[in-house]
Amino acid sequence: MSWLDDDGDDDELDEFDESQIRTRPNPKANRPRTKRRPAHADAETGRVLGVDRGRYSVLIGEGTEAERTITATRARELRRMPIVTGDAARVVGDTSGDEGTLSRIIGIVERTSLLRRSADDTDQVERVIVANADQMLIVVAAADPEPRERLVDRYLVAALDAGIRPLLVVTKTDLADPSEFLRHFEGLDLQVFTSAQDPTAEHGGMPLDEIGAALVGHSTVFVGHSGVGKSTLVNALVPSAGRATGHVNVVTGRGRHTSSSTVSLRYVAPGGAGTGWVIDTPGVRSFGLGHVNPENILAAFTELAAIAEDCPRGCTHRADAEDCALNEAAAAGRLGEAGLSRLESLQRLLATFADKL
């Protein structure tokens, strides 16, 4: 007899029958994985005004009767994306702006510009400062603290790399004559304003009307060394700003950091002449350029960039570069006085960034 015979009694195995047991399927195991996300067709787009401990202030309905500021957090899928002041954010949820409400940022509209810096020139990690700005107002002091030409050069390089128009304000001109300092920047397309602390000084205090006229219709990021009077200027232009101001240490000659965050403030020109956006940033003592593409510096000097097309491959365009078409044009007198000044400015900025060439 074989043990495979069917003569055995199956009743003995009934106690092991589990066919009647009901199991709950694992929804995660049974559902196919997908990276598709909801379209959020009802999302509204607003301007990010600032961020504080993971909460974003977003202006919705800008320029309309329904304009309001809401508080939002970021969606989980955006946790690796930097969301900064100036971003155009897509938000969903409760966007009424009522007290206690919270919406969610689910996306960022493509940026028109991005101002960045690194900790130093060798650091490839970018620190995003502001998005969608089209102007940079560089604030320096004629004295107390002393102006730093190289720091301003670095601001200019970062602005040119980002495609942002640079402007320059020299404060405290009643303490020192800035003429020698400003000679350093001759040849650049750089609008310069001078400002004095004393309203009775020769040039009469802050040129708020002139600076304000340059702000109308633009989104302007203010940058500068600590203690140069940047926050004081912001408060004068936007009286409701309330930005903290400090003083310069008499021993070290350094300014004290007062603004601790980046924030967008609306500028309203007197007499209803228009509005603009002032983006105040914390004061810095260094500005790394590890992220910058040196070719963008040359591209900002359009007339020189056209001549540089005849340069050999890999040309540094510096004063000691061999067979450089720019140097040859200068030697042949084809650039003129203005062109020579522009070339000197270009080569100075390239020298500031020489380690990246």
Side-chain angles (χ1 to χ4, degrees):
M1 175 181 290
S2 171
W3 61 275
L4 296 175
D5 291 343
D6 295 334
D7 296 337
D9 188 359
D10 292 339
D11 293 341
E12 297 178 1
L13 301 177
D14 287 346
E15 62 178 305
F16 301 107
D17 183 10
E18 297 180 348
S19 62
Q20 300 301 317
I21 296 177
R22 300 181 63 183
T23 60
R24 176 180 295 177
N26 183 344
K28 292 185 178 180
N30 294 337
R31 185 170 56 200
R33 299 183 64 183
T34 178
K35 292 184 177 180
R36 295 170 58 187
R37 295 290 184 266
H40 294 299
D42 60 338
E44 297 186 69
T45 301
R47 179 191 296 269
V48 177
L49 301 179
V51 57
D52 181 21
R53 290 169 292 186
R55 294 294 185 264
Y56 298 84
S57 296
V58 182
L59 183 67
I60 300 293
E62 181 178 340
T64 69
E65 294 182 356
E67 180 178 291
R68 61 206 181 275
T69 301
I70 66 173
T71 302
T73 185
R74 74 168 70 198
R76 177 181 295 180
E77 57 265 29
L78 299 181
R79 63 185 180 274
R80 295 184 181 275
M81 174 183 289
I83 301 176
V84 297
T85 301
D87 266 323
R90 299 179 64 237
V91 294
V92 297
D94 192 337
T95 59
S96 64
D98 295 339
E99 185 177 356
T101 59
L102 184 67
S103 57
R104 187 170 83 257
I105 298 176
I106 50 87
I108 298 296
V109 178
E110 184 177 358
R111 293 154 168 164
T112 58
S113 69
L114 194 62
L115 180 63
R116 303 160 294 172
R117 76 179 182 96
S118 56
D120 55 55
D121 290 346
T122 62
D123 186 1
Q124 296 299 317
V125 178
E126 300 176 359
R127 274 72 169 175
V128 180
I129 301 175
V130 65
N132 300 322
D134 62 339
Q135 291 189 149
M136 173 194 284
L137 185 70
I138 305 168
V139 185
V140 298
D144 192 30
E146 292 297 318
R148 296 167 55 188
E149 296 173 352
R150 290 303 179 187
L151 179 59
V152 176
D153 282 346
R154 288 174 172 273
Y155 285 135
L156 291 171
V157 167
L160 298 178
D161 177 69
I164 297 174
R165 177 195 178 201
L167 310 169
L168 178 66
V169 175
V170 183
T171 64
K172 307 182 184 180
T173 55
D174 47 341
L175 301 183
D177 184 357
S179 299
E180 186 64 29
F181 170 75
L182 292 176
R183 194 171 294 114
H184 184 73
F185 305 100
E186 292 178 354
L188 292 174
D189 293 330
L190 183 65
Q191 185 175 4
V192 178
F193 306 93
T194 57
S195 172
Q197 292 177 311
D198 184 358
T200 64
E202 180 181 355
H203 299 291
M206 294 184 182
L208 298 181
D209 291 341
E210 292 85 349
I211 296 175
L215 302 179
V216 172
H218 297 280
S219 180
T220 307
V221 54
F222 283 44
V223 298
H225 189 288
S226 304
V228 297
K230 177 171 58 65
S231 294
T232 299
L233 179 59
V234 169
N235 288 337
L237 291 166
V238 186
S240 62
R243 301 294 277 176
T245 59
H247 62 277
V248 177
N249 189 301
V250 296
V251 176
T252 65
R254 292 182 174 182
R256 177 183 178 184
H257 293 293
T258 51
S259 300
S260 59
S261 61
T262 301
V263 61
S264 285
L265 305 162
R266 181 184 273 123
Y267 169 74
V268 180
T275 64
W277 287 96
V278 169
I279 306 174
D280 189 22
T281 62
V284 297
R285 298 192 181 107
S286 63
F287 203 94
L289 300 174
H291 62 282
V292 170
N293 179 1
E295 291 301 318
N296 291 339
I297 305 173
L298 174 62
F301 295 77
T302 53
E303 74 285 5
L304 297 180
I307 299 175
E309 292 180 358
D310 296 328
C311 288
R313 183 184 298 273
C315 181
T316 64
H317 312 301
R318 297 178 63 187
D320 57 353
E322 296 184 1
D323 300 324
C324 175
L326 293 173
N327 292 331
E328 292 177 354
R334 299 200 307 268
L335 297 183
E337 185 177 347
L340 285 174
S341 181
R342 296 271 290 166
L343 178 59
E344 290 175 1
S345 296
L346 169 64
Q347 291 178 336
R348 187 188 70 252
L349 295 179
L350 290 175
T352 297
F353 201 56
D355 59 318
K356 295 295 291 184
L357 295 173

